[in-house]
Amino acid sequence: MASTLTEDHAHNLGKPTASAGVVSIADNQGREALKDITCGSISGMLGKIIEQPFDTIKVRLQSQPYPPVYTGPLDCFRQSLLSPEGGLRSLYRGIQAPLVGAAIENSSLFFSYRIAQDILQTLVPTLPRNKDELPLKALAACGAMSGAVTSLLLTPIELIKCKMQYPVTSSLSNPLVAQRGPISVIASVFRQHGILGFWRGQLGTSIRETGGTAAWFGSYEAALAALRRDPSSVSSALRSTDPSIHGKAQSPVHHQLLAGAAAGVAYNFAFFPADTIKARMQTEELSSTSTGSQFAKKHSTFWSTGVQLWQQQGLRGLYRGCGITVARSAPSSAVIFAVYGGLKDWIG
């Protein structure tokens, strides 16, 4: 009997076992996850450094009280430069939280986007096994799932960021207005509202991220596919000589930059009103103190904040700051996709 077992063991040494296959799949998933997190974090932080001054202007335009104190983006930029705090320091105030947020956001987006594709391919067996061959609708759906997951991580970070970006006022009666560091803002939010206070504005973030990320990935994939079909492009020429070459890895950098820029515009424009309402909710304690309003004490909801904004400023109020947001999102998103793709190709 022992001899038979020894012979069977020796016979099976050269054959892959089921457990070995599971370990191999787990190792591969772990490597891909690590690459998504690393490349997504680096690309996200680089993109955030580019867009931070524009994002500060956007938040100040969105969260200003009524009647508005800024006539437009240029006026807000001018007042920020002339503020007692100092020009660049004022525009980059609160950069710590956005840098952390950008790393978390983009690593989560790219990681969960890939996982969503795996899940969708498992649930729908008729879909192509090659991710590069998935239809645009499926990719947009995966983007929506990715955004929904990421919104849960983003809301607390963006709440801290918005409070820090709120312009300094002459009144120091509200400690939130006077605070400069993220730690003091975090402590104040926790003291006043508890742990759930960090998720104030979650509905707005969820709407923006779910719909916006579907538009982000969907627009990127659509633009990249259109550029690949261009007969004059390098990637098209390569595939015509070698049909085995397929996918985004072979797309030249300028294609990734163009597609990324288109994705950034689509992401920000599509659901911008939800972001405006979210920003108002997350900073209304600060604006109510400076204006003497009691609205913030009512703990307004997403709907009531949106209705009030509509009644005061109409559609223009919901899209206040949209122009500068779209303008900064194009180069930022272009850098994110190009750096992410370049790093993944370099890592292999």
Side-chain angles (χ1 to χ4, degrees):
M1 184 65 153
S3 176
T4 303
L5 289 173
T6 303
E7 290 174 1
D8 290 342
H9 177 69
H11 179 70
N12 290 326
L13 281 177
K15 294 184 178 181
T17 62
S19 60
V22 171
V23 170
S24 176
I25 293 172
D27 287 344
N28 183 62
Q29 287 287 350
R31 284 194 299 270
E32 289 300 315
L34 183 60
K35 286 194 286 186
D36 286 333
I37 293 170
T38 302
C39 299
S41 297
I42 294 173
S43 62
M45 287 189 289
L46 288 174
K48 180 53 66 177
I49 291 172
I50 293 172
E51 71 176 35
Q52 175 66 9
F54 303 97
D55 188 61
T56 299
I57 298 298
K58 180 209 74 169
V59 169
R60 291 176 179 177
L61 288 170
Q62 288 178 326
S63 58
Q64 63 182 320
Y66 184 80
V69 296
Y70 307 115
T71 59
L74 291 179
D75 181 55
C76 183
F77 183 73
R78 180 185 62 81
Q79 291 193 41
S80 298
L81 289 178
L82 297 176
S83 69
E85 190 178 10
L88 285 177
R89 185 176 179 182
S90 173
L91 291 172
Y92 275 95
R93 173 148 46 90
I95 185 66
Q96 304 95 324
L99 279 178
V100 173
I104 294 174
E105 176 184 16
N106 286 277
S107 58
S108 174
L109 283 175
F110 285 111
F111 170 72
S112 53
Y113 182 58
R114 181 178 57 80
I115 296 300
Q117 291 178 13
D118 291 337
I119 293 173
L120 198 61
Q121 286 176 319
T122 301
L123 295 177
V124 186
T126 56
L127 288 174
R129 296 297 92 190
N130 188 338
K131 289 185 174 64
D132 292 329
E133 297 176 356
L134 288 173
L136 185 58
K137 289 181 180 179
L139 294 172
C142 292
M145 288 187 278
S146 173
V149 172
T150 303
S151 70
L152 295 171
L153 304 175
L154 274 183
T155 300
I157 296 169
E158 292 197 349
L159 180 132
I160 297 165
K161 178 204 72 163
C162 287
K163 289 184 181 298
M164 292 186 66
Q165 288 176 322
Y166 194 82
V168 178
T169 66
S170 58
S171 171
L172 299 180
S173 59
N174 186 347
L176 285 174
V177 176
Q179 289 164 352
R180 297 277 69 85
I183 301 301
S184 57
V185 174
I186 292 170
S188 181
V189 171
F190 183 75
R191 280 197 308 269
Q192 295 188 28
H193 306 292
I195 192 67
L196 293 181
F198 291 100
W199 275 269
R200 179 162 180 76
Q202 170 60 34
L203 179 58
T205 309
S206 180
I207 293 173
R208 185 199 68 196
E209 287 297 310
T210 302
T213 307
W216 197 55
F217 280 116
S219 298
Y220 178 76
E221 302 286 5
L224 208 57
L227 290 168
R228 289 197 201 106
R229 289 194 295 269
D230 181 1
S232 64
S233 70
V234 175
S235 53
S236 293
L238 285 173
R239 278 193 304 278
S240 65
T241 57
D242 186 355
S244 66
I245 295 178
H246 183 82
K248 296 180 281 297
Q250 285 72 38
S251 297
V253 175
H254 68 279
H255 281 188
Q256 296 179 44
L257 289 170
L258 288 171
V265 172
Y267 166 83
N268 283 281
F269 186 79
F271 292 88
F272 193 82
D275 185 62
T276 301
I277 296 170
K278 176 197 72 73
R280 295 271 293 201
M281 291 179 67
Q282 292 179 333
T283 60
E284 63 186 359
E285 286 178 311
L286 310 182
S287 61
S288 65
T289 298
S290 60
T291 60
S293 169
Q294 300 300 311
F295 183 70
K297 296 182 179 180
K298 299 178 182 178
H299 299 288
S300 58
T301 63
F302 180 84
W303 176 255
S304 63
T305 303
V307 168
Q308 186 197 43
L309 185 58
W310 175 267
Q311 291 173 344
Q312 290 179 345
Q313 304 179 44
L315 185 63
R316 183 177 181 180
L318 291 170
Y319 276 92
R320 190 176 299 279
C322 183
I324 194 170
T325 302
V326 170
R328 58 89 170 164
S329 67
S332 173
S333 186
V335 167
I336 288 172
F337 275 107
V339 171
Y340 175 83
L343 284 174
K344 287 206 75 172
D345 288 346
W346 180 67
I347 293 173

